[in-house]
Amino acid sequence: MDLFEKIAKLREDGLAQIQTAENEKKLNDVRVALVGKKGQLTEILHSMKEVAPENRREVGQKVNELRDIFNARLDKAKDNLLKKLVEEKLAKEAIDVTLPGRKTYMGSKHVIRIIQDDLEKFFIGMGFKVVQGPEIENEHYNFEMLNLPKDHPARDMQATFFVDPSHLLRSQTSPVQARTMEKHDFENGALKMISPGKVYRRDDDDATHSHQFAQMEGLVVDKNITMGDLKGTLEAVAKHVFGQDRETRLRPSYFPFTEPSVEMDVSCFNCDGKGCSVCKNTGWIEVLGAGMVHPNVIRNAGLDPKVYGGFAFGLGLDRFAILKYGVDDIRDFYTNDVRFLTQFRQEED
Ligand code: PHE
């Protein structure tokens, strides 16, 4: 085979190889084999000495021509491969815009939190500050400071979880009263505070009892605070939560840290006071405990009970929620079934 035939054959084979190289690596191998420094075209140039001198020019021309053709085809083939790659990638990553979207679920505030936030806003509007206290309390603040000395029988009113002999899970938010009163600078004016939070009592859980629930404590201490202030404040709370048409009444009660002590009832919002199952046919529903701060509690905080006095109240946030929304099982607040919880979504602001 003379060199011209060789060139013609290389042209045919080379173009076929370029066309069939199915990826970049193979195409590169073909490039090296055809037009590389030690490739087949170079090889032909090396064998030029075998060519008759008068033909050398033409061979050289043919080789150069073929190199140009190869290079052009190789570049084109490379372009095509890259295009194919991009197309494949796009096809793989294609988003089907006709697919229905995935549903996402929005959380919502817990109903107890909704009531708490609403009451906080209400009290802040009346000049109260919001105070927090520890859930693990000591006997000093949970009992002694609140006029419940050791062995006082009223300690049994609230069955308590003890953590160790002197610490307990607070059974009420009232210890926050004592802690705040102790720190307050009365020279600078009245103390008006609320304290929302969790409390714990050793109860067997059922539809109306829970070993953990939420209270909100309220305390106002200053000179010249009267029972009228207590009544006016609580009436405003009751109307705010249960409706402007509600009536309220105070009944005598007993708490060790208040004297006199009262319980407040609101007229039944279900039957408007006529008597129904919600109010057990009395027309009234008990909503909170309160009273005038006991002189001993004032004294324990380092104040003179002849000069300072005040009122305090404690309300159950769970109880408020139960009454306001007609919930029939307190455990629903804590088992966190989203079907129950999401019912209150519209109550958020
Ligand atoms: N701490 C009382 C209770 O848990 C409620 C209360 C608070 C009563 C403040 C009077 C004054 O039952």
Side-chain angles (χ1 to χ4, degrees):
M1 191 166 27
D2 75 4
L3 219 45
F4 289 111
E5 280 168 358
K6 247 189 184 167
I7 291 172
K9 175 137 195 348
L10 180 58
R11 178 187 174 120
E12 214 172 284
D13 290 352
L15 290 178
Q17 281 169 27
I18 292 171
Q19 202 155 38
T20 52
E22 68 262 32
N23 58 40
E24 249 193 295
K25 173 164 188 326
K26 288 222 167 106
L27 189 65
N28 205 42
D29 291 345
V30 172
R31 180 190 295 276
V32 172
L34 294 177
V35 297
K37 262 194 210 134
K38 293 177 182 162
Q40 296 180 60
L41 279 176
T42 315
E43 208 174 286
I44 290 176
L45 287 181
H46 282 323
S47 53
M48 199 70 109
K49 49 186 173 315
E50 295 157 26
V51 180
E54 66 273 21
N55 286 339
R56 282 187 189 161
R57 191 183 149 92
E58 202 187 341
V59 171
Q61 257 173 9
K62 288 234 159 354
V63 167
N64 284 340
E65 236 175 68
L66 190 52
R67 187 187 303 279
D68 289 346
I69 291 171
F70 279 165
N71 276 331
R73 289 294 181 90
L74 281 162
D75 287 348
K76 190 144 190 269
K78 191 170 171 186
D79 273 1
N80 286 342
L81 278 176
L82 284 177
K83 251 189 232 148
K84 218 171 93 193
L85 227 82
V86 171
E87 269 161 25
E88 275 169 13
K89 200 160 177 234
L90 283 177
K92 237 197 297 178
E93 290 172 1
I95 294 167
D96 182 352
V97 290
T98 65
L99 275 176
R102 282 199 196 101
K103 205 171 165 176
T104 52
Y105 290 92
M106 284 276 281
S108 53
K109 271 192 204 170
H110 193 280
V111 55
I112 302 287
R113 165 65 60 182
I114 292 170
I115 297 246
Q116 179 181 325
D117 285 354
D118 176 59
L119 281 172
E120 281 184 15
K121 243 191 248 162
F122 176 77
F123 279 109
I124 288 168
M126 296 201 298
F128 285 62
K129 62 174 178 173
V130 183
V131 187
Q132 298 289 340
E135 284 176 33
I136 296 180
E137 256 303 355
N138 53 39
E139 289 195 277
H140 178 68
Y141 285 108
N142 201 78
F143 294 130
E144 269 113 74
M145 287 287 276
L146 298 170
N147 195 31
L148 275 148
K150 279 211 165 42
D151 304 321
H152 193 291
R155 285 201 182 192
D156 293 343
M157 279 168 78
Q158 302 166 356
T160 315
F161 284 116
F162 275 84
V163 177
D164 63 35
S166 57
H167 290 87
L168 45 90
L169 298 180
R170 66 177 177 190
S171 56
Q172 50 190 355
T173 41
S174 304
V176 191
Q177 281 187 35
R179 286 179 175 275
T180 314
M181 226 188 300
E182 218 175 33
K183 277 191 282 188
H184 186 76
D185 178 9
F186 285 90
E187 304 279 304
N188 273 332
L191 167 60
K192 292 167 84 178
M193 58 151 275
I194 52 164
S195 183
K198 296 189 193 81
V199 300
Y200 304 84
R201 290 187 195 174
R202 208 150 34 75
D203 257 332
D204 288 329
D205 291 3
D206 62 26
T208 55
H209 296 87
S210 169
H211 62 281
Q212 179 209 299
F213 54 99
Q215 280 191 333
M216 183 177 279
E217 193 78 11
L219 175 73
V220 172
V221 175
D222 199 1
K223 298 170 186 164
N224 306 318
I225 302 288
T226 69
M227 192 103 185
D229 297 317
L230 165 70
K231 191 159 188 274
T233 306
L234 294 184
E235 227 169 68
V237 177
K239 285 184 192 250
H240 173 72
V241 177
F242 299 110
Q244 293 302 321
D245 300 337
R246 303 274 58 83
E247 290 183 31
T248 60
R249 69 175 187 190
L250 299 178
R251 277 181 295 103
S253 183
Y254 171 75
F255 299 103
F257 28 88
T258 46
E259 180 58 38
S261 299
V262 294
E263 264 163 330
M264 186 172 74
D265 298 339
V266 297
S267 55
C268 181
F269 32 78
N270 192 45
C271 63
D272 234 346
K274 287 188 216 44
C276 68
S277 63
V278 175
C279 60
K280 301 197 186 84
N281 283 315
T282 63
W284 295 95
I285 295 172
E286 182 205 320
V287 293
L288 55 81
M292 302 308 289
V293 182
H294 197 289
N296 286 348
V297 176
I298 297 282
R299 198 174 293 117
N300 288 345
L303 295 170
D304 181 356
K306 289 202 190 72
V307 181
Y308 286 97
F311 68 82
F313 59 89
L315 56 88
L317 293 171
D318 301 66
R319 183 159 174 76
F320 269 40
I322 283 172
L323 294 172
K324 183 163 179 174
Y325 300 113
V327 175
D328 48 21
D329 195 327
I330 193 173
R331 289 169 293 192
D332 286 341
F333 295 136
Y334 301 104
T335 40
N336 288 337
D337 182 333
V338 286
R339 289 168 302 182
F340 172 78
L341 297 176
T342 51
Q343 294 177 87
F344 303 98
R345 197 193 295 273
Q346 73 280 4
E347 297 292 334
E348 290 179 39
D349 35 80

